[in-house]
Amino acid sequence: MAETIVFIIFAAVALAGAVGMLTARNPVYSAVGLLSTMFAIAIMYILLDAHFVAVVQVIIYAGAVMTLFLFVIMLIGVDTPDAYGVRPTSQVVMTWVVAVGLFATIALAGREVWVTGSSAFGNPGLNGTIEAVADELFGTWTIVFLATVLLLTIAALGTIALAYFSGVADEDSIDERGSEVVS
């Protein structure tokens, strides 16, 4: 019974955050709505005994991705509600038509059995626990995981090298006119 009450509360928070994200005029308020939705989803993962996924949800999405979103919003400087001008009426009507169509599709699909999922939810032995994720990641997918780590390390080193060596000329290679001397 307590799980149902917690689910209803955080489902309402997730829906309110999503609606707030979509209806907010200010992009910063929209990002805050997205953040509240992400935290509510993390609570729902905890209710499903997927603690590792909940922690990843908070650290990666609510932490890093939202920081990146807010940084880009502040960098672009969209701080006025009407920064893009007046929205055309056709755009508003089309947005509502698509939103109602998607809602109707989700509502009709929700009546089917395959959407409701497994009857074994709430069992700690399911996927999503730290042990189950670690067994898969470091057991079955070890080579793929290590290849991804190697690829990301090479990409990071390449980015650092490009940033360090691109367009940087030392003072000996510049002549008196200010152009670079090729030797």
Side-chain angles (χ1 to χ4, degrees):
M1 181 65 179
E3 287 181 355
T4 305
I5 294 170
V6 171
F7 174 77
I8 290 171
I9 291 170
F10 283 100
V13 169
L15 287 173
V19 169
M21 181 193 72
L22 294 174
T23 58
R25 297 279 185 192
N26 191 333
V28 176
Y29 296 148
S30 182
V32 171
L34 182 61
L35 182 66
S36 66
T37 301
M38 288 182 180
F39 275 122
I41 290 173
I43 298 297
M44 290 181 198
Y45 286 142
I46 291 173
L47 290 175
L48 294 172
D49 291 327
H51 304 289
F52 179 75
V53 179
V55 170
V56 168
Q57 172 81 15
V58 170
I59 291 173
I60 302 293
Y61 291 109
V65 173
M66 287 308 301
T67 302
L68 180 65
F69 283 174
L70 287 173
F71 177 73
V72 169
I73 288 170
M74 296 301 178
L75 183 67
I76 292 174
V78 184
D79 55 355
T80 59
D82 295 325
Y84 297 114
V86 179
R87 294 181 183 164
T89 307
S90 61
Q91 181 183 12
V92 173
V93 170
M94 195 61 177
T95 301
W96 279 105
V97 167
V98 169
V100 169
L102 285 174
F103 180 75
T105 303
I106 292 170
L108 290 174
R111 296 172 56 188
E112 298 295 322
V113 175
W114 61 270
V115 177
T116 60
S118 171
S119 62
F121 277 141
N123 184 355
L126 287 177
N127 293 332
T129 61
I130 295 173
E131 293 85 5
V133 171
D135 286 342
E136 286 293 318
L137 188 61
F138 298 114
T140 308
W141 299 99
T142 302
I143 300 297
V144 177
F145 177 71
L146 292 176
T148 304
V149 168
L150 182 64
L151 181 66
L152 291 174
T153 304
I154 291 170
L157 290 174
T159 303
I160 292 169
L162 285 174
Y164 184 75
F165 293 113
S166 67
V168 177
D170 50 350
E171 294 177 17
D172 295 336
S173 63
I174 298 177
D175 63 2
E176 51 279 338
R177 293 180 294 166
S179 59
E180 193 172 336
V181 177
V182 179
S183 53

